[in-house]
Amino acid sequence: MAGRTQPVSSWPGISAAALVAALILGTLATVGLRAETSGGFNPSDWAALRFTLLQATLSAAFSSMLAIPVARALARRRFRGRRVLIALLGVPFILPVIVAILGLLQVFGRSGWISDVLGVFGLPPIQIYGLHGVVLAHVFFNLPLATRLILQGWQEIPAERFRLAAQLGCDGMAMFRLIELPMLRRVLPGVLAVIFAICLTSFAVALTLGGGPRATTIELAIYQAFTYDFDLGRAALLSALQLALTAAAALAALKFSRGDGFGAGLNRAIRRWDGGTPLLDAFWIIAAATFLLLPLASVVISGALGLFELPTLVFRAAAISILVATISTMLLLLLAVPMAVSAATGRYGIVELCGILGLAASPLVIGTGLFILIRPVANPAMLALPVTALVNAVMALPFALRILVPAARDTIERHRRLALSLDMNKRTFFTRIIVMRLRPQIGFAAGLAAALSMGDLGVIALFADAQIATLPLQIYRLMGAYQMQAAAGGALVLLLLSMGVFWILDRGGRWHAEA
């Protein structure tokens, strides 16, 4: 479509992309300038860097290695509920981090279910705080992602490869060595790099499960530099280091994600002749499902009991979270829809590039820059909610564009000639054709953004004071005060709100719309 007349204007999307680029690059430039005034890293900063790299490496390795047998079992077996189970693998992505952490504590914590069972046999309880707790939480979040990515690699292998291998008399080990192992060599490095990049910017996990100075990540060190030392120069220098690490990991993920595939097949359903051991495959599937669903079940069970002990502050924080999520979702749509249209015309690749800038910077890095910019002219605490909503919208923008751009490109290509022949003006084409045709995708993107914003525990921790708290932050405060029953009730409320807002917006987008 490049170079051809378009029935829609690209300038709104270009303007939105410029605003996003100015926000991200401007805050990063501010961080870089402020970092020059710092005295350098101290021993605790180097310790945070070493722990960050160690936990990210271990988390990526365990998540990816455990995902291989789970994905292989799902690729080889067909059973009732398989599609539902694969769909459930996407739940941790929109699950509020603080909810998952509370569920993990109730299952694997010192007073958790497993420790209670160990106590019956006279064994000591599990110690979840520290490096192993951080890695456990990251595996919980990233095992489903790794499984989905590796399973996609298995599904891309043409069925004819397995058919030919069976005709040549290859057994299961030979099929793995000749067909599956080359696929893993191509897919696995990218999976490792993606999860490594995600774990680099983990904040809430380290905040709740870090367990002290020896288990501090760079993101947590940035937070501590603000809240405890109020050392803006050190926070800025750490933010610059965080940006460099995240950008390097993102580039590595992009590089390793490329590679030659297995060629085209006839799109037949994959039939496997290397059945292997059904009991072993069943073990991996059941173990993965139990590991993912048990913490959620614990949140529901304990949260139902804790609903009767919720303080008034929880309901006030829930209202604030709904407000922040609403503002964030509206900001996202105002940015994402016109940017998707501009990117779909094929003439402005820079628009899509601006949209994915958020993947190269963590929320705390952007929050650091905004704090430095706002502090000379206003009290940052007074702007905590709008700043949190803005950063949440920018963080969700890359995912929204991945949802909207393909559908926008297809819509423009299908209706472009007819709109031009009818001399339809660009505003009418945008409102009557693009928006109406993209309603399912817009609803899905809005639901995803609202759920992510509802469960975010990041920028709000930098800006909020004692009087302002979103629901995730209030739950964290309850956990810090050892009010675990009330925290469990708040976690259940947050879980219901996050899943509910996602379902309502996603379903609303598809109501009376063509799927």
Side-chain angles (χ1 to χ4, degrees), residues 191-209:
V191 175
L192 286 166
V194 168
I195 296 177
F196 181 83
I198 293 173
C199 294
L200 280 179
T201 59
S202 175
F203 171 68
V205 172
L207 182 65
T208 53
L209 299 177

Side-chain angles (χ1 to χ4, degrees), residues 29-40 232-238 240 372:
T30 301
V31 167
L33 292 174
R34 187 57 184 259
E36 296 178 358
T37 63
S38 177
L232 296 182
R234 177 168 167 257
L237 186 61
L238 289 170
I372 295 172

Side-chain angles (χ1 to χ4, degrees), residues 452-476:
L452 292 176
S453 180
M454 187 76 67
D456 177 69
L457 178 60
V459 178
I460 188 65
L462 287 178
F463 284 82
D465 56 19
Q467 304 300 321
I468 300 177
T470 58
L471 188 50
L473 182 57
Q474 187 60 48
I475 294 171
Y476 170 72

Side-chain angles (χ1 to χ4, degrees), residues 81-240:
R82 178 178 178 272
R83 290 185 178 181
V84 176
L85 178 60
I86 293 176
L88 287 176
L89 293 178
V91 171
F93 183 76
I94 62 174
L95 184 68
V97 176
I98 195 68
V99 173
I101 290 173
L102 190 58
L104 291 172
L105 286 173
Q106 291 170 350
V107 175
F108 299 99
R110 184 178 179 85
S111 301
W113 295 353
I114 295 180
S115 293
D116 291 343
V117 174
L118 293 177
V120 174
F121 298 95
L123 298 175
I126 297 176
Q127 301 292 336
I128 194 174
Y129 294 99
L131 174 63
H132 48 289
V134 172
V135 173
L136 176 67
H138 283 159
V139 172
F140 174 82
F141 285 109
N142 295 305
L143 175 61
L145 173 62
T147 301
R148 290 290 296 267
L149 293 175
I150 297 174
L151 178 61
Q152 183 64 33
W154 250 292
Q155 292 174 337
E156 290 176 355
I157 301 177
E160 290 74 20
R161 294 290 185 98
F162 294 104
R163 183 186 299 274
L164 178 60
Q167 292 173 345
L168 294 176
C170 296
D171 58 11
M173 183 57 66
M175 283 191 179
F176 178 80
R177 186 178 69 256
L178 298 174
I179 300 177
E180 297 173 318
L181 188 57
M183 180 275 295
L184 290 175
R185 288 173 178 168
R186 179 177 63 89
V187 173
L188 200 56
V191 175
L192 286 166
V194 168
I195 296 177
F196 181 83
I198 293 173
C199 294
L200 280 179
T201 59
S202 175
F203 171 68
V205 172
L207 182 65
T208 53
L209 299 177
R214 293 193 303 174
T216 297
T217 61
I218 295 177
E219 291 246 327
L220 187 54
I222 295 172
Y223 171 73
Q224 291 171 345
F226 269 117
T227 56
Y228 298 115
D229 303 328
F230 202 68
D231 188 348
L232 296 182
R234 177 168 167 257
L237 186 61
L238 289 170
S239 298

